[in-house]
Amino acid sequence: MTTALLWFRRDLRLDDNPALQAALDAGHRIVPVYVHAPDEEAPWMPGAASRAWLAASLRALSAALRERGSMLVLRRGPTERALETLIEETGASAVYWNRLYEPAVIARDAALKTHFKQRGIDAHSHNAALLFEPWEIETGQGTPYRVFTPFWRNARARLRDGAPPAAPARLPAVPHLASETVDALLPAPRPRWDRPMLADWRPGAAGAAEMLEVFLDDAVAHYKTQRDLPDRVGTSRLSPHLHFGEISPRRLVAAIQGRTWPAAVEPHVETWLKELGWREFSHHLLYHFPASTDANLNPRFDDFPWAPRDNDALEAWCRGRTGVPIVDAGMRELWATGFMHNRVRMLTASFLTKNLRQHWIHGARWFWDTLVDADLANNTQGWQWTAGTGADAAPYFRIFNPVTQARRFDPDVRYVRRWLPELDALPDAAVFAPWEHADAARLAPDYPAQPIVDLAQSRDAALAAHDRIKTAR
DNA sequence: TTTATTTTATG
DNA sequence: ATAAAATAA
């Protein structure tokens, strides 16, 4: 019997895992391995929150493999050396893995594939992360899409039903091999901020499946409207599970299409599928425009007059001390939980890039380090979208008004109150814009009396800055 | 996945 | 006088 390495990366599941399936179908004995080599993802190596999730997720995968008679071998990078060593130890003749789409990872994997082929080792890569490969969806001219709506129209029409394969009940036994521990590879932070951060989550495939069931049972029926309200669980909150491949997008599509929905719920289902579409679109853009992690997707913005880097403003934004309650609530939710509601991500990002006019890369870097679902494709395209430098088909310069957004999406101020206890004594009506309330300084002495930037003036300044690049060239 | 302003409708 | 709808950016 031949042996194959099953190289896990961000596909930390056993169901609908094409690399695993292919290795089994080929009749190999399978040696599952995870190689810890974060520096190979530079300049976007995983952030602190992401590493905490990864540690928990690896434990979950390891347990799932053990239950099936296998085990997860943990090794330290460099990846090429770790895999070579394991090939020698096991006599493996093949390596199977699932593809990723970040530029640094693509380059490393391509080099590895060449290396293995030269060594006479079969190297097989598969698609586990996306509904469609980034190169499968193209315009009539054969070019990549730059606008979401036509991209999704095209991709949506190609969606097929059908349940992806379940996890195998048993896996071949693994010979005795040395393995690192998760603790050694990903030491717990001190102090243990990871514990409260992960308290609301259950990393791993079982937690992901449970999350999906809860969403389909409860939230999806009101998704279109409730998804925008940050004070409740109106979204699926599957993003960290998707990022680490603990659940596959095909599984999500199969699960939601596998149920019969009342006609009134169908538009909600469609809206949620469209969110998966945004995820596909982000990966499509990152694959075709790999420089977009650091450079404007729209080069017209290369002349945009950003304000000079302002460390005080950046610090206030990061820590939730800007004096704009909905912005501060979001930033504190992020710091405490490693997560931020999508509506609030958009408006905090708008505040940083439009009102403070700080370059979007500063925000992208902070989110990258603090989000448990930090994903290079989604993070990059999300920031570029809000900054106006990315793929946004809107014919205007999008500037969110955080006060209007708070009134519309947190009308009962429940979200803001949860994260800003220093506003407890303020009446509801004053929480949207405390600086307009005569008594705010007395009732909320620990909160900034004024926002760090005037909302109306900074909006006008942002529009004026935008006018300058509109008229240029 | 917006906002601010203007126009129109309603009482 | 106020709100809803339309519109421009």
Side-chain angles (χ1 to χ4, degrees):
Chain A
M1 194 186 215
T2 53
T3 297
L5 302 186
L6 176 60
W7 176 27
F8 280 103
R9 296 116 62 80
R10 290 200 300 270
D11 50 346
L12 305 179
R13 63 171 184 267
L14 301 177
D15 75 291
D16 189 22
N17 187 321
L20 168 61
Q21 208 57 50
L24 285 174
D25 291 348
H28 294 297
R29 182 208 337 258
I30 290 160
V31 175
V33 54
Y34 183 87
V35 180
H36 184 61
D39 44 305
E40 292 174 11
E41 297 184 49
W44 291 91
M45 40 196 291
S50 184
R51 292 196 301 272
W53 184 288
L54 174 63
S57 191
L58 286 174
R59 288 194 185 91
L61 177 67
S62 183
L65 284 165
R66 257 184 278 116
E67 280 166 26
R68 289 167 173 80
S70 180
M71 73 169 284
L72 183 63
V73 177
L74 296 166
R75 291 286 167 96
R76 234 178 256 281
T79 299
E80 184 182 309
R81 198 180 67 199
L83 293 179
E84 271 299 335
T85 306
L86 208 50
I87 286 169
E88 277 172 34
E89 291 172 6
T90 59
S93 58
V95 184
Y96 290 79
W97 70 81
N98 292 307
R99 283 189 279 277
L100 293 170
Y101 304 90
E102 295 84 4
V105 178
I106 289 176
R108 181 204 51 194
D109 294 352
L112 271 171
K113 203 168 217 178
T114 309
H115 168 83
F116 286 136
K117 294 238 152 116
Q118 282 168 352
R119 287 262 288 95
I121 304 286
D122 285 332
H124 305 272
S125 63
H126 300 264
N127 169 22
L130 296 173
L131 296 171
F132 304 100
E133 294 284 17
W135 51 87
E136 278 182 274
I137 307 289
E138 53 181 31
T139 66
Q141 285 77 50
T143 57
Y145 283 97
R146 288 171 154 272
V147 180
F148 174 72
T149 307
F151 169 86
W152 183 236
R153 204 186 351 262
N154 184 340
R156 176 69 185 84
R158 295 166 186 243
L159 273 189
R160 297 286 170 264
D161 318 324
R170 297 288 303 169
L171 288 168
V174 175
H176 179 74
L177 292 162
S179 176
E180 294 276 359
T181 64
V182 173
D183 277 328
L185 294 182
L186 294 153
R190 288 194 185 260
R192 291 299 302 266
W193 51 260
D194 57 320
R195 285 211 180 101
M197 183 185 77
L198 293 177
D200 283 346
W201 299 97
R202 203 176 141 213
E210 185 181 287
M211 209 76 162
L212 173 62
E213 288 309 305
V214 169
F215 176 68
L216 295 180
D217 289 345
D218 304 338
V220 72
H222 311 283
Y223 182 71
K224 274 182 84 149
T225 46
Q226 303 266 318
R227 69 179 180 136
D228 272 321
L229 307 178
D231 69 330
R232 65 202 73 187
V233 180
T235 62
S236 62
R237 296 172 62 102
L238 283 163
S239 50
H241 298 289
L242 272 167
H243 171 72
F244 286 101
E246 300 166 2
I247 196 161
S248 82
R250 285 183 294 253
R251 167 82 53 213
L252 302 185
V253 170
I256 202 161
Q257 291 188 335
R259 294 198 188 188
T260 339
W261 299 102
V265 176
E266 276 166 19
H268 297 271
V269 168
E270 204 53 44
T271 302
W272 187 70
L273 284 175
K274 196 158 94 175
E275 295 305 312
L276 284 184
W278 277 101
R279 179 177 178 275
E280 296 284 317
F281 185 49
S282 292
H283 285 79
H284 178 82
L285 290 174
L286 178 59
Y287 178 79
H288 289 289
F289 307 100
S292 67
T293 56
D294 296 81
N296 296 324
L297 186 63
N298 179 352
R300 226 160 44 80
F301 272 81
D302 292 351
D303 298 327
F304 186 81
W306 300 105
R309 180 192 173 109
D310 179 343
N311 286 330
D312 291 343
L314 286 170
E315 175 77 7
W317 180 79
C318 291
R319 299 294 161 187
R321 295 285 297 169
T322 68
V324 180
I326 189 82
V327 172
D328 293 339
M331 299 310 293
R332 296 204 203 165
E333 180 189 22
L334 174 60
W335 185 246
T337 68
F339 192 80
M340 197 197 298
H341 188 281
N342 179 249
R343 167 62 47 187
V344 190
R345 291 189 198 200
M346 292 190 287
L347 97 230
T348 53
S350 171
F351 183 79
L352 184 76
T353 56
K354 305 291 169 69
N355 296 104
L356 297 176
R357 226 166 352 114
Q358 294 292 296
H359 195 286
W360 59 265
I361 199 78
H362 304 308
R365 281 283 175 194
W366 181 252
F367 274 27
W368 183 251
D369 196 42
T370 51
L371 278 169
V372 286
D373 65 17
D375 179 275
L376 195 56
N378 293 333
N379 196 50
T380 297
Q381 306 313 332
W383 274 97
Q384 293 235 31
W385 181 88
T386 354
T389 60
D392 183 3
Y396 49 84
F397 193 49
R398 203 185 286 269
I399 304 175
F400 288 66
N401 180 328
V403 176
T404 309
Q405 290 275 313
R407 286 187 200 280
R408 191 179 304 156
F409 298 114
D410 189 31
D412 306 321
V413 297
R414 284 179 17 149
Y415 177 75
V416 166
R417 285 202 186 286
R418 186 179 313 153
W419 297 107
L420 300 183
E422 63 265 54
L423 300 185
D424 278 354
L426 273 188
D428 284 3
V431 170
F432 301 110
W435 59 92
E436 289 172 357
H437 193 259
D439 253 3
R442 186 175 59 80
L443 294 172
D446 297 333
Y447 194 70
Q450 290 291 325
I452 58 171
V453 65
D454 181 273
L455 294 179
Q457 276 175 19
S458 56
R459 175 178 205 277
D460 290 346
L463 286 169
H466 188 241
D467 278 347
R468 281 210 259 154
I469 61 163
K470 256 199 317 203
T471 47
R473 42 182 104 188

